[in-house]
Amino acid sequence: MSVPSDWPSTEREALAEQQRLRPMVAADGPAPDRVAGTLVAGVDVAYDDERDVVAAAAVLLDYATLEVVEEATAVGQVAFPYLPGLLAFREVPAVVEALGRLSAEPALVVCDGYGVAHPRRLGLASHLGVLTGLPTIGVAKTPFTFTYRAPGAERGAWEPLVDAGEIVGRAVRTREGVKPVFVSVGHRIGLAEATEVTLALTPHYRLPETTRRADSLCRRALAEAVSAAG
DNA sequence: GCGACAG
DNA sequence: ATCTTGTCGC
């Protein structure tokens, strides 16, 4: 699995690519079975702006126990600047590389960011899903440009995430009394199912275990790569 | 025109 | 994303 050699290098090309991929998103499908042996992946990316280095991590967890089963990383050169709405072009190449280094395929990939909750309905998680064919969801830490009502204080409470009058995701309370996370469909899964998975992955902390493991791993990989480069 | 803006 | 110590609170 790898990224096309003609990866967009300009904003104009990126926007055109989003238009091309957008109709390929499947915004429904089942949640993975929560049984031993079902694998769920977490992916995340870290950067060294000084050297334009990017480090991605892909971590496989057993969905039933949330134990780490396998880890993979990929380090490379940053391929695109950060532009709101075009985050996928910056993060996806390294993420696809890391995912490809896993020896098993996950039933679902959890991304740090948005899926169809996006100005053109093709955020990071949906983009990655269409490219890999894997089911994906996005769990973001901030509301981006969307609006929502505060969910109830209890874990599991949620409210719709709205963009231009359209429901694009949910603000979900994963820990009592703590700021909610923002869940959206990436690819091949429904919104209720994405919410269910998010809650299953957050028995203790605000963010999914998948995201937490991938976050620490990509930071370690980046530090290692930068120090090795001297 | 200006501000806001996933990570 | 990243720069960054201690501190308040369960």
Side-chain angles (χ1 to χ4, degrees):
Chain A
M1 186 188 299
S2 105
V3 164
S5 56
D6 59 332
W7 195 249
S9 57
T10 66
E11 184 170 355
R12 179 184 178 71
E13 291 172 353
L15 290 170
E17 178 67 351
Q18 289 187 332
Q19 294 309 321
R20 187 179 78 81
L21 299 179
R22 173 178 169 177
M24 300 169 73
V25 174
D28 56 76
D33 291 323
R34 209 171 167 190
V35 299
T38 296
L39 301 174
V40 178
V43 294
D44 196 16
V45 170
Y47 302 95
D48 182 297
D49 291 327
E50 286 289 301
R51 308 171 188 236
D52 270 359
V53 170
V54 54
V59 180
L60 278 182
L61 305 196
D62 183 303
Y63 191 37
T65 64
L66 304 190
E67 292 296 310
V68 174
V69 170
E70 187 180 355
E71 301 180 322
T73 61
V75 176
Q77 215 60 29
V78 174
F80 207 86
Y82 170 68
L83 298 174
L86 298 178
L87 178 64
F89 296 94
R90 182 171 171 81
E91 308 217 330
V92 163
V95 167
V96 170
E97 183 83 31
L99 274 175
R101 290 181 179 168
L102 293 171
S103 61
E105 187 170 273
L108 178 83
V109 180
V110 180
C111 299
D112 187 13
Y114 284 104
V116 298
H118 178 274
R120 293 167 295 281
R121 304 292 178 265
L122 195 83
L124 169 64
S126 298
H127 198 135
L128 180 69
V130 170
L131 250 47
T132 61
L134 296 171
T136 61
I137 68 171
V139 180
K141 301 182 289 295
T142 68
F144 197 16
T145 59
F146 312 118
T147 58
Y148 68 101
R149 305 286 240 174
E154 75 280 13
R155 169 177 150 82
W158 58 267
E159 287 290 336
L161 190 63
V162 177
D163 181 34
E166 190 177 333
I167 294 177
V168 294
R170 290 178 180 175
V172 179
R173 192 85 68 186
T174 55
R175 280 203 69 179
E176 181 167 354
V178 172
K179 183 186 195 294
V181 296
F182 304 91
V183 177
S184 58
V185 165
H187 186 52
R188 297 180 56 197
I189 188 171
L191 182 53
E193 291 77 11
T195 304
E196 170 194 330
V197 172
T198 298
L199 287 168
L201 293 173
T202 52
H204 305 305
Y205 301 97
R206 176 188 177 229
L207 297 179
E209 281 305 306
T210 39
T211 297
R212 301 181 70 251
R213 306 308 274 233
D215 178 77
S216 64
L217 180 57
C218 70
R219 287 177 197 248
R220 271 180 280 149
L222 179 66
E224 194 175 305
V226 168
S227 69

